PDB file of all heavy atoms in Angstrom:
ATOM      1  N   LEU A  79     141.957 105.133 281.485  1.00 96.00           N
ATOM      2  CA  LEU A  79     142.007 103.661 281.330  1.00 96.00           C
ATOM      3  C   LEU A  79     140.758 103.252 280.565  1.00 96.00           C
ATOM      4  O   LEU A  79     139.668 103.322 281.093  1.00 96.00           O
ATOM      5  CB  LEU A  79     142.049 103.008 282.733  1.00 96.00           C
ATOM      6  CG  LEU A  79     142.213 101.500 282.785  1.00 96.00           C
ATOM      7  CD1 LEU A  79     143.519 101.037 282.111  1.00 96.00           C
ATOM      8  CD2 LEU A  79     142.178 101.072 284.266  1.00 96.00           C
ATOM      9  N   LEU A  80     140.934 102.838 279.302  1.00 96.00           N
ATOM     10  CA  LEU A  80     139.821 102.665 278.415  1.00 96.00           C
ATOM     11  C   LEU A  80     139.689 101.229 277.879  1.00 96.00           C
ATOM     12  O   LEU A  80     140.671 100.630 277.448  1.00 96.00           O
ATOM     13  CB  LEU A  80     139.941 103.583 277.186  1.00 96.00           C
ATOM     14  CG  LEU A  80     140.236 105.074 277.428  1.00 96.00           C
ATOM     15  CD1 LEU A  80     140.290 105.803 276.112  1.00 96.00           C
ATOM     16  CD2 LEU A  80     139.182 105.675 278.345  1.00 96.00           C
ATOM     17  N   ASP A  81     138.465 100.688 277.938  1.00 93.00           N
ATOM     18  CA  ASP A  81     138.154  99.450 277.233  1.00 93.00           C
ATOM     19  C   ASP A  81     138.009  99.824 275.736  1.00 93.00           C
ATOM     20  O   ASP A  81     137.874 100.991 275.388  1.00 93.00           O
ATOM     21  CB  ASP A  81     136.854  98.891 277.768  1.00 93.00           C
ATOM     22  CG  ASP A  81     136.599  97.468 277.317  1.00 93.00           C
ATOM     23  OD1 ASP A  81     137.475  96.851 276.669  1.00 93.00           O
ATOM     24  OD2 ASP A  81     135.491  96.950 277.587  1.00 93.00           O
ATOM     25  N   ILE A  82     138.052  98.823 274.892  1.00 90.00           N
ATOM     26  CA  ILE A  82     137.925  99.096 273.437  1.00 90.00           C
ATOM     27  C   ILE A  82     136.466  99.085 273.025  1.00 90.00           C
ATOM     28  O   ILE A  82     135.951 100.044 272.462  1.00 90.00           O
ATOM     29  CB  ILE A  82     138.695  98.052 272.613  1.00 90.00           C
ATOM     30  CG1 ILE A  82     140.205  98.276 272.795  1.00 90.00           C
ATOM     31  CG2 ILE A  82     138.324  98.172 271.103  1.00 90.00           C
ATOM     32  CD1 ILE A  82     141.064  97.303 271.995  1.00 90.00           C
ATOM     33  N   LEU A 106     145.688 104.481 278.425  1.00 95.00           N
ATOM     34  CA  LEU A 106     146.066 103.084 278.606  1.00 95.00           C
ATOM     35  C   LEU A 106     144.871 102.250 278.218  1.00 95.00           C
ATOM     36  O   LEU A 106     143.807 102.348 278.834  1.00 95.00           O
ATOM     37  CB  LEU A 106     146.493 102.816 280.048  1.00 95.00           C
ATOM     38  CG  LEU A 106     146.906 101.386 280.423  1.00 95.00           C
ATOM     39  CD1 LEU A 106     148.043 100.902 279.582  1.00 95.00           C
ATOM     40  CD2 LEU A 106     147.279 101.319 281.898  1.00 95.00           C
ATOM     41  N   ILE A 107     145.003 101.431 277.162  1.00 92.00           N
ATOM     42  CA  ILE A 107     143.954 100.553 276.720  1.00 92.00           C
ATOM     43  C   ILE A 107     143.999  99.239 277.512  1.00 92.00           C
ATOM     44  O   ILE A 107     145.033  98.623 277.629  1.00 92.00           O
ATOM     45  CB  ILE A 107     144.060 100.253 275.208  1.00 92.00           C
ATOM     46  CG1 ILE A 107     143.975 101.551 274.395  1.00 92.00           C
ATOM     47  CG2 ILE A 107     143.013  99.249 274.771  1.00 92.00           C
ATOM     48  CD1 ILE A 107     142.615 102.230 274.428  1.00 92.00           C
ATOM     49  N   LEU A 108     142.823  98.850 278.052  1.00 89.00           N
ATOM     50  CA  LEU A 108     142.722  97.603 278.787  1.00 89.00           C
ATOM     51  C   LEU A 108     141.533  96.831 278.208  1.00 89.00           C
ATOM     52  O   LEU A 108     140.393  97.298 278.231  1.00 89.00           O
ATOM     53  CB  LEU A 108     142.453  97.885 280.276  1.00 89.00           C
ATOM     54  CG  LEU A 108     142.346  96.646 281.191  1.00 89.00           C
ATOM     55  CD1 LEU A 108     143.705  95.949 281.262  1.00 89.00           C
ATOM     56  CD2 LEU A 108     141.889  97.074 282.583  1.00 89.00           C
ATOM     57  N   THR A 109     141.806  95.677 277.629  1.00 84.00           N
ATOM     58  CA  THR A 109     140.760  94.980 276.883  1.00 84.00           C
ATOM     59  C   THR A 109     140.820  93.459 277.096  1.00 84.00           C
ATOM     60  O   THR A 109     141.866  92.905 277.440  1.00 84.00           O
ATOM     61  CB  THR A 109     140.870  95.283 275.401  1.00 84.00           C
ATOM     62  OG1 THR A 109     139.822  94.636 274.677  1.00 84.00           O
ATOM     63  CG2 THR A 109     142.238  94.817 274.850  1.00 84.00           C
ATOM     64  N   THR A 110     139.678  92.844 276.871  1.00 81.00           N
ATOM     65  CA  THR A 110     139.619  91.386 276.883  1.00 81.00           C
ATOM     66  C   THR A 110     140.215  90.788 275.610  1.00 81.00           C
ATOM     67  O   THR A 110     140.731  89.684 275.616  1.00 81.00           O
ATOM     68  CB  THR A 110     138.149  90.928 277.004  1.00 81.00           C
ATOM     69  OG1 THR A 110     137.547  91.495 278.156  1.00 81.00           O
ATOM     70  CG2 THR A 110     138.055  89.390 277.081  1.00 81.00           C
ATOM     71  N   PHE A 111     140.169  91.601 274.546  1.00 70.00           N
ATOM     72  CA  PHE A 111     140.517  91.081 273.233  1.00 70.00           C
ATOM     73  C   PHE A 111     141.945  91.469 272.861  1.00 70.00           C
ATOM     74  O   PHE A 111     142.182  92.615 272.405  1.00 70.00           O
ATOM     75  CB  PHE A 111     139.538  91.601 272.180  1.00 70.00           C
ATOM     76  CG  PHE A 111     138.094  91.292 272.544  1.00 70.00           C
ATOM     77  CD1 PHE A 111     137.263  92.267 273.074  1.00 70.00           C
ATOM     78  CD2 PHE A 111     137.607  90.027 272.370  1.00 70.00           C
ATOM     79  CE1 PHE A 111     135.964  91.998 273.440  1.00 70.00           C
ATOM     80  CE2 PHE A 111     136.274  89.731 272.733  1.00 70.00           C
ATOM     81  CZ  PHE A 111     135.479  90.705 273.271  1.00 70.00           C
ATOM     82  N   GLY A 112     142.890  90.552 273.041  1.00 68.00           N
ATOM     83  CA  GLY A 112     144.273  90.824 272.746  1.00 68.00           C
ATOM     84  C   GLY A 112     144.553  90.530 271.277  1.00 68.00           C
ATOM     85  O   GLY A 112     145.178  89.546 270.931  1.00 68.00           O
ATOM     86  N   LEU A 117     146.095  96.420 268.765  1.00 82.00           N
ATOM     87  CA  LEU A 117     147.300  97.032 269.312  1.00 82.00           C
ATOM     88  C   LEU A 117     147.834  98.084 268.324  1.00 82.00           C
ATOM     89  O   LEU A 117     148.208  99.196 268.736  1.00 82.00           O
ATOM     90  CB  LEU A 117     148.388  95.996 269.585  1.00 82.00           C
ATOM     91  CG  LEU A 117     149.772  96.511 269.971  1.00 82.00           C
ATOM     92  CD1 LEU A 117     149.707  97.403 271.202  1.00 82.00           C
ATOM     93  CD2 LEU A 117     150.710  95.339 270.224  1.00 82.00           C
ATOM     94  N   MET A 121     148.158 102.156 269.110  1.00 86.00           N
ATOM     95  CA  MET A 121     149.395 102.930 269.012  1.00 86.00           C
ATOM     96  C   MET A 121     149.232 104.080 268.010  1.00 86.00           C
ATOM     97  O   MET A 121     149.717 105.193 268.240  1.00 86.00           O
ATOM     98  CB  MET A 121     150.546 102.030 268.635  1.00 86.00           C
ATOM     99  CG  MET A 121     150.893 100.946 269.657  1.00 86.00           C
ATOM    100  SD  MET A 121     151.389 101.572 271.265  1.00 86.00           S
ATOM    101  CE  MET A 121     149.890 101.320 272.197  1.00 86.00           C
ATOM    102  N   GLY A 127     149.746 102.765 276.228  1.00 92.00           N
ATOM    103  CA  GLY A 127     149.864 101.415 276.730  1.00 92.00           C
ATOM    104  C   GLY A 127     148.726 100.541 276.254  1.00 92.00           C
ATOM    105  O   GLY A 127     147.642 101.065 275.884  1.00 92.00           O
ATOM    106  N   PHE A 128     148.919  99.216 276.280  1.00 90.00           N
ATOM    107  CA  PHE A 128     147.894  98.289 275.853  1.00 90.00           C
ATOM    108  C   PHE A 128     148.080  96.993 276.661  1.00 90.00           C
ATOM    109  O   PHE A 128     149.093  96.320 276.556  1.00 90.00           O
ATOM    110  CB  PHE A 128     148.040  97.991 274.355  1.00 90.00           C
ATOM    111  CG  PHE A 128     146.877  97.272 273.736  1.00 90.00           C
ATOM    112  CD1 PHE A 128     146.004  97.930 272.863  1.00 90.00           C
ATOM    113  CD2 PHE A 128     146.616  95.927 274.026  1.00 90.00           C
ATOM    114  CE1 PHE A 128     144.951  97.251 272.295  1.00 90.00           C
ATOM    115  CE2 PHE A 128     145.576  95.257 273.457  1.00 90.00           C
ATOM    116  CZ  PHE A 128     144.710  95.916 272.584  1.00 90.00           C
ATOM    117  N   LEU A 129     147.068  96.669 277.484  1.00 89.00           N
ATOM    118  CA  LEU A 129     147.142  95.477 278.318  1.00 89.00           C
ATOM    119  C   LEU A 129     145.856  94.713 278.208  1.00 89.00           C
ATOM    120  O   LEU A 129     144.776  95.265 277.895  1.00 89.00           O
ATOM    121  CB  LEU A 129     147.345  95.865 279.810  1.00 89.00           C
ATOM    122  CG  LEU A 129     148.621  96.603 280.157  1.00 89.00           C
ATOM    123  CD1 LEU A 129     148.581  96.998 281.649  1.00 89.00           C
ATOM    124  CD2 LEU A 129     149.852  95.745 279.872  1.00 89.00           C
ATOM    125  N   VAL A 130     145.910  93.394 278.434  1.00 83.00           N
ATOM    126  CA  VAL A 130     144.730  92.569 278.467  1.00 83.00           C
ATOM    127  C   VAL A 130     144.266  92.410 279.904  1.00 83.00           C
ATOM    128  O   VAL A 130     145.078  92.560 280.837  1.00 83.00           O
ATOM    129  CB  VAL A 130     144.975  91.179 277.812  1.00 83.00           C
ATOM    130  CG1 VAL A 130     145.189  91.348 276.314  1.00 83.00           C
ATOM    131  CG2 VAL A 130     146.162  90.496 278.447  1.00 83.00           C
ATOM    132  N   LYS A 131     142.987  92.082 280.065  1.00 83.00           N
ATOM    133  CA  LYS A 131     142.375  92.129 281.399  1.00 83.00           C
ATOM    134  C   LYS A 131     142.721  90.960 282.289  1.00 83.00           C
ATOM    135  O   LYS A 131     142.333  90.946 283.471  1.00 83.00           O
ATOM    136  CB  LYS A 131     140.871  92.227 281.275  1.00 83.00           C
ATOM    137  CG  LYS A 131     140.371  93.499 280.688  1.00 83.00           C
ATOM    138  CD  LYS A 131     138.865  93.504 280.550  1.00 83.00           C
ATOM    139  CE  LYS A 131     138.340  94.765 279.934  1.00 83.00           C
ATOM    140  NZ  LYS A 131     136.898  94.755 279.716  1.00 83.00           N
ATOM    141  N   ASP A 132     143.431  89.939 281.802  1.00 79.00           N
ATOM    142  CA  ASP A 132     143.675  88.760 282.622  1.00 79.00           C
ATOM    143  C   ASP A 132     144.890  88.882 283.532  1.00 79.00           C
ATOM    144  O   ASP A 132     145.254  87.954 284.231  1.00 79.00           O
ATOM    145  CB  ASP A 132     143.784  87.510 281.765  1.00 79.00           C
ATOM    146  CG  ASP A 132     144.915  87.583 280.757  1.00 79.00           C
ATOM    147  OD1 ASP A 132     145.589  88.623 280.707  1.00 79.00           O
ATOM    148  OD2 ASP A 132     145.084  86.606 279.991  1.00 79.00           O
ATOM    149  N   GLY A 133     145.535  90.063 283.556  1.00 78.00           N
ATOM    150  CA  GLY A 133     146.697  90.255 284.401  1.00 78.00           C
ATOM    151  C   GLY A 133     146.280  90.689 285.803  1.00 78.00           C
ATOM    152  O   GLY A 133     145.163  91.157 286.031  1.00 78.00           O
ATOM    153  N   PRO A 134     147.187  90.568 286.783  1.00 83.00           N
ATOM    154  CA  PRO A 134     146.917  91.021 288.139  1.00 83.00           C
ATOM    155  C   PRO A 134     146.801  92.534 288.243  1.00 83.00           C
ATOM    156  O   PRO A 134     147.390  93.251 287.453  1.00 83.00           O
ATOM    157  CB  PRO A 134     148.111  90.490 288.959  1.00 83.00           C
ATOM    158  CG  PRO A 134     149.193  90.333 287.958  1.00 83.00           C
ATOM    159  CD  PRO A 134     148.553  90.001 286.683  1.00 83.00           C
ATOM    160  N   GLU A 137     149.995  94.653 288.351  1.00 89.00           N
ATOM    161  CA  GLU A 137     150.616  94.987 287.063  1.00 89.00           C
ATOM    162  C   GLU A 137     149.931  96.176 286.411  1.00 89.00           C
ATOM    163  O   GLU A 137     150.558  97.028 285.803  1.00 89.00           O
ATOM    164  CB  GLU A 137     150.578  93.771 286.122  1.00 89.00           C
ATOM    165  CG  GLU A 137     151.538  92.656 286.530  1.00 89.00           C
ATOM    166  CD  GLU A 137     151.582  91.558 285.494  1.00 89.00           C
ATOM    167  OE1 GLU A 137     150.986  91.733 284.389  1.00 89.00           O
ATOM    168  OE2 GLU A 137     152.197  90.503 285.758  1.00 89.00           O
ATOM    169  N   LEU A 138     148.582  96.257 286.565  1.00 92.00           N
ATOM    170  CA  LEU A 138     147.867  97.374 286.022  1.00 92.00           C
ATOM    171  C   LEU A 138     148.247  98.671 286.710  1.00 92.00           C
ATOM    172  O   LEU A 138     148.489  99.691 286.074  1.00 92.00           O
ATOM    173  CB  LEU A 138     146.366  97.128 286.139  1.00 92.00           C
ATOM    174  CG  LEU A 138     145.443  98.254 285.665  1.00 92.00           C
ATOM    175  CD1 LEU A 138     145.695  98.590 284.209  1.00 92.00           C
ATOM    176  CD2 LEU A 138     143.986  97.901 285.881  1.00 92.00           C
ATOM    177  N   ALA A 139     148.353  98.606 288.036  1.00 94.00           N
ATOM    178  CA  ALA A 139     148.759  99.812 288.783  1.00 94.00           C
ATOM    179  C   ALA A 139     150.150 100.254 288.390  1.00 94.00           C
ATOM    180  O   ALA A 139     150.412 101.460 288.220  1.00 94.00           O
ATOM    181  CB  ALA A 139     148.665  99.515 290.292  1.00 94.00           C
ATOM    182  N   ALA A 140     151.040  99.291 288.241  1.00 94.00           N
ATOM    183  CA  ALA A 140     152.417  99.593 287.791  1.00 94.00           C
ATOM    184  C   ALA A 140     152.415 100.207 286.422  1.00 94.00           C
ATOM    185  O   ALA A 140     153.174 101.145 286.138  1.00 94.00           O
ATOM    186  CB  ALA A 140     153.292  98.329 287.839  1.00 94.00           C
ATOM    187  N   ALA A 141     151.568  99.693 285.518  1.00 94.00           N
ATOM    188  CA  ALA A 141     151.474 100.231 284.169  1.00 94.00           C
ATOM    189  C   ALA A 141     150.980 101.687 284.175  1.00 94.00           C
ATOM    190  O   ALA A 141     151.433 102.515 283.400  1.00 94.00           O
ATOM    191  CB  ALA A 141     150.570  99.348 283.292  1.00 94.00           C
ATOM    192  N   ILE A 142     150.029 101.966 285.031  1.00 95.00           N
ATOM    193  CA  ILE A 142     149.512 103.324 285.148  1.00 95.00           C
ATOM    194  C   ILE A 142     150.652 104.272 285.567  1.00 95.00           C
ATOM    195  O   ILE A 142     150.786 105.378 284.998  1.00 95.00           O
ATOM    196  CB  ILE A 142     148.353 103.397 286.179  1.00 95.00           C
ATOM    197  CG1 ILE A 142     147.098 102.688 285.602  1.00 95.00           C
ATOM    198  CG2 ILE A 142     148.029 104.825 286.552  1.00 95.00           C
ATOM    199  CD1 ILE A 142     145.979 102.514 286.574  1.00 95.00           C
ATOM    200  N   ARG A 144     153.827 103.807 285.101  1.00 94.00           N
ATOM    201  CA  ARG A 144     154.834 103.851 284.053  1.00 94.00           C
ATOM    202  C   ARG A 144     154.418 104.758 282.904  1.00 94.00           C
ATOM    203  O   ARG A 144     155.238 105.526 282.379  1.00 94.00           O
ATOM    204  CB  ARG A 144     155.140 102.442 283.544  1.00 94.00           C
ATOM    205  CG  ARG A 144     155.900 101.571 284.563  1.00 94.00           C
ATOM    206  CD  ARG A 144     156.021 100.144 284.048  1.00 94.00           C
ATOM    207  NE  ARG A 144     156.779 100.082 282.799  1.00 94.00           N
ATOM    208  CZ  ARG A 144     156.861  98.984 282.046  1.00 94.00           C
ATOM    209  NH1 ARG A 144     156.243  97.858 282.428  1.00 94.00           N
ATOM    210  NH2 ARG A 144     157.587  99.003 280.921  1.00 94.00           N
ATOM    211  N   VAL A 145     153.144 104.656 282.457  1.00 95.00           N
ATOM    212  CA  VAL A 145     152.730 105.530 281.345  1.00 95.00           C
ATOM    213  C   VAL A 145     152.729 106.975 281.784  1.00 95.00           C
ATOM    214  O   VAL A 145     153.051 107.879 280.995  1.00 95.00           O
ATOM    215  CB  VAL A 145     151.365 105.114 280.762  1.00 95.00           C
ATOM    216  CG1 VAL A 145     151.388 103.719 280.204  1.00 95.00           C
ATOM    217  CG2 VAL A 145     150.239 105.245 281.777  1.00 95.00           C
ATOM    218  N   VAL A 151     153.817 101.054 277.581  1.00 91.00           N
ATOM    219  CA  VAL A 151     153.649  99.753 278.200  1.00 91.00           C
ATOM    220  C   VAL A 151     152.728  98.895 277.302  1.00 91.00           C
ATOM    221  O   VAL A 151     151.590  99.245 277.096  1.00 91.00           O
ATOM    222  CB  VAL A 151     153.043  99.875 279.600  1.00 91.00           C
ATOM    223  CG1 VAL A 151     152.932  98.481 280.256  1.00 91.00           C
ATOM    224  CG2 VAL A 151     153.882 100.783 280.472  1.00 91.00           C
ATOM    225  N   VAL A 152     153.269  97.778 276.827  1.00 87.00           N
ATOM    226  CA  VAL A 152     152.513  96.887 275.966  1.00 87.00           C
ATOM    227  C   VAL A 152     152.674  95.457 276.423  1.00 87.00           C
ATOM    228  O   VAL A 152     153.815  95.028 276.754  1.00 87.00           O
ATOM    229  CB  VAL A 152     152.982  97.018 274.473  1.00 87.00           C
ATOM    230  CG1 VAL A 152     152.233  96.028 273.582  1.00 87.00           C
ATOM    231  CG2 VAL A 152     152.748  98.420 273.980  1.00 87.00           C
ATOM    232  N   ASP A 153     151.588  94.723 276.471  1.00 81.00           N
ATOM    233  CA  ASP A 153     151.680  93.289 276.772  1.00 81.00           C
ATOM    234  C   ASP A 153     152.701  92.629 275.837  1.00 81.00           C
ATOM    235  O   ASP A 153     152.531  92.691 274.628  1.00 81.00           O
ATOM    236  CB  ASP A 153     150.287  92.643 276.607  1.00 81.00           C
ATOM    237  CG  ASP A 153     150.287  91.197 276.912  1.00 81.00           C
ATOM    238  OD1 ASP A 153     150.498  90.399 275.977  1.00 81.00           O
ATOM    239  OD2 ASP A 153     150.049  90.822 278.079  1.00 81.00           O
ATOM    240  N   PRO A 154     153.739  92.002 276.341  1.00 75.00           N
ATOM    241  CA  PRO A 154     154.804  91.481 275.489  1.00 75.00           C
ATOM    242  C   PRO A 154     154.370  90.382 274.497  1.00 75.00           C
ATOM    243  O   PRO A 154     154.835  90.400 273.351  1.00 75.00           O
ATOM    244  CB  PRO A 154     155.851  90.936 276.503  1.00 75.00           C
ATOM    245  CG  PRO A 154     155.093  90.742 277.764  1.00 75.00           C
ATOM    246  CD  PRO A 154     154.044  91.793 277.785  1.00 75.00           C
ATOM    247  N   LEU A 156     151.436  90.096 273.132  1.00 70.00           N
ATOM    248  CA  LEU A 156     150.666  90.756 272.115  1.00 70.00           C
ATOM    249  C   LEU A 156     151.555  91.559 271.174  1.00 70.00           C
ATOM    250  O   LEU A 156     151.327  91.610 269.973  1.00 70.00           O
ATOM    251  CB  LEU A 156     149.628  91.688 272.734  1.00 70.00           C
ATOM    252  CG  LEU A 156     148.613  92.365 271.792  1.00 70.00           C
ATOM    253  CD1 LEU A 156     147.881  91.337 270.972  1.00 70.00           C
ATOM    254  CD2 LEU A 156     147.665  93.231 272.557  1.00 70.00           C
TER     255      LEU A 156
END
Side-chain angles (χ1 to χ4, degrees):
L79 184 60
L80 310 181
D81 192 7
I82 290 180
L106 179 58
I107 299 293
L108 182 67
T109 182
T110 303
F111 306 102
L117 173 57
M121 296 299 102
F128 193 109
L129 298 175
V130 292
K131 292 179 182 176
D132 59 0
E137 289 186 8
L138 177 59
I142 289 172
R144 289 173 62 190
V145 298
V151 181
V152 176
D153 180 270
L156 186 57

